[in-house]
Amino acid sequence: MSPESMDRRAVLRTALGAGAALGAVGLTAGAARAATPGTTPAGAGEPGVPDFSPVPGMQGDRRANEFWYQYDQKFYVQPTPEIGQAIGKIVGPMGGFQAIWDVWLQHYKGGSYPQSFIDLVAPSRDSLVLLSREQRGVYDTYFAGRPDDLVLAFQEFGQGTLYDPRPTAGNRIHMMNFTPPDPTHSYHRWHMFLRAFALLGIDGDWWTHIHRLAGLGWELHSIAKPRIDATDNPHLSKALVDRLTKKWLKRSPAEIDQAFSVFPYPVDMGR
């Protein structure tokens, strides 16, 4: 299975590490500060942190833009054969990438969850471990010791407020992909991967934290309905972003499962 046959962003963002974000996470990172578009963020040039050169035309937080850009470059635009093979081994038994949420939902409603789902994904453990290792490396580069920045990256991603002129047309907003006017399916497909990580004990606490942030991104996207390649997608209100961030960061794995058992929008959207 080639990356081009999959949903553009959902698969390879599944293993995003949380690391230090499991500590004192800033619940209101998006409202706490306003980033200067396209400029060098604090911390650039520190050991282990890449240089953030200004990008003319960029809109939104510089670190978040660079993280999502480099993530796509490594795992979507120029993935290694090893990565592509690993994904194929994970989604193949489920009938392909387009079917993975439906398969998860069948297990969730089937009466023997989570064990039946664990039995399904357990043969793919080595491939999931590989994705975890590779993607955590990208996370560490941009967010090691920066939990507030990790939260901010998901808040901005969900609202569609990260405009990056470097990708090809149609991909210049760092957000979950979708085909208007249909809602995005990608957060629900992402859910399957994140539950697989946690239930197989592959850094389960990490992926559960990312799962909460992914849920936040889904709800923000559902409300904001960002436009593809738009340089002026508006931010939602500070009060709303703060409230939804706090709600999702408190959710248990069971509550996350319940939320993602509904498509296309959260049952309690905006509350």
Side-chain angles (χ1 to χ4, degrees), residues 5-62:
S5 66
M6 303 173 225
D7 195 310
R8 177 174 180 263
R9 294 180 171 99
V11 172
L12 289 166
R13 285 174 173 169
T14 58
L16 193 73
L22 296 175
V25 175
L27 300 183
T28 60
R33 59 181 173 83
T36 302
T39 58
T40 303
E46 295 173 357
V49 177
D51 184 28
F52 295 86
S53 299
V55 177
M58 179 177 285
Q59 298 293 321
D61 183 80
R62 183 67 181 88

Side-chain angles (χ1 to χ4, degrees), residues 225-258:
K225 293 182 170 56
R227 293 165 294 142
I228 294 172
D229 282 2
T231 61
D232 58 349
N233 283 327
H235 283 86
L236 299 172
S237 72
K238 173 185 181 298
L240 178 61
V241 173
D242 287 355
R243 184 169 70 252
L244 298 184
T245 301
K246 292 175 183 177
K247 177 180 74 173
W248 276 97
L249 288 180
K250 293 178 181 178
R251 285 191 159 164
S252 68
E255 290 171 330
I256 297 170
D257 270 341
Q258 184 177 16

Side-chain angles (χ1 to χ4, degrees), residues 158-171:
Q159 295 173 88
T161 51
L162 299 171
Y163 178 82
D164 190 337
R166 293 172 294 179
T168 57
N171 297 311

Side-chain angles (χ1 to χ4, degrees), residues 78-91:
Q78 296 178 328
T80 65
E82 184 181 31
I83 291 293
Q85 292 167 6
I87 295 169
K89 290 178 181 179
I90 296 166
V91 304

